[in-house]
Structures are given as structure tokens and as C-alpha cells.
């Protein structure tokens, strides 16, 4: 069985960037609705941390810094 981390490795840099942005929006909305220390908000934060770590691992720093221009991590 493929776990979530392995599935994320199949994304292109552009898809990963989009997933990160969506996760950020969801985290903000969850925090506003349930509070910053709620279990739901903490779970969303951990999910975003995983995505950001994956992006850092797969994309060079230069690509991450120019991500808005190049659509990479």
C-alpha cells in the first residue's frame, strides 16, 4: 500500500506548489473557525509541514525562491 508521503513524491513541482497553497488556505480557515490550538488546526499544520518538507527536499533553494515565476517549489 502506498502511504501519503509516497503519493506526494509523484507530484510535479507545480502540482506540489498548488497543493501547498491550498493547504495554507485550509489551515488559515480552520484556525479561524476552530482556534489555533484545536486538534483540527494542528493536524492541518502538520500536513502543511509535510508538504513544505517535501518541497525543500525535492526542489533546489533557487527554484523555491523563484517559485512564483517558474511554478516550482
Amino acid at each position: 500500500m502506498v502511504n501519503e508521503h509516497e503519493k506526494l513524491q509523484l507530484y510535479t513541482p507545480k502540482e506540489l506548489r498548488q497543493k501547498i497553497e491550498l493547504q495554507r488556505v485550509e489551515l488559515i480557515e480552520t484556525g479561524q473557525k476552530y482556534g489555533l490550538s484545536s486538534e483540527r488546526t494542528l493536524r492541518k499544520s502538520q500536513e502543511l509541514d509535510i508538504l513544505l518538507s517535501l518541497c525543500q527536499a525535492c526542489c533546489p533553494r533557487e527554484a523555491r525562491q523563484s517559485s512564483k515565476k517558474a511554478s516550482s517549489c
Side-chain angles (χ1 to χ4, degrees), residues 10-22:
L10 302 176
Y11 289 132
T12 65
K14 182 178 179 180
E15 291 169 333
L16 182 56
R17 179 75 177 160
Q18 290 170 341
K19 191 158 181 69
I20 288 170
E21 291 305 317
L22 177 62

Side-chain angles (χ1 to χ4, degrees), residues 9-37:
Q9 292 178 341
L10 302 176
Y11 289 132
T12 65
K14 182 178 179 180
E15 291 169 333
L16 182 56
R17 179 75 177 160
Q18 290 170 341
K19 191 158 181 69
I20 288 170
E21 291 305 317
L22 177 62
Q23 192 67 31
R24 284 183 178 152
V25 170
E26 290 177 3
L27 174 60
I28 291 167
E29 291 173 352
T30 304
Q32 290 173 337
K33 185 173 183 178
Y34 299 102
L36 297 179
S37 60

Side-chain angles (χ1 to χ4, degrees), residues 55-72:
C55 184
Q56 289 176 339
C58 77
C59 303
R61 181 179 177 152
E62 296 79 22
R64 290 194 314 269
Q65 289 177 340
S66 62
S67 63
K68 292 181 182 173
K69 296 176 187 173
S71 296
S72 64

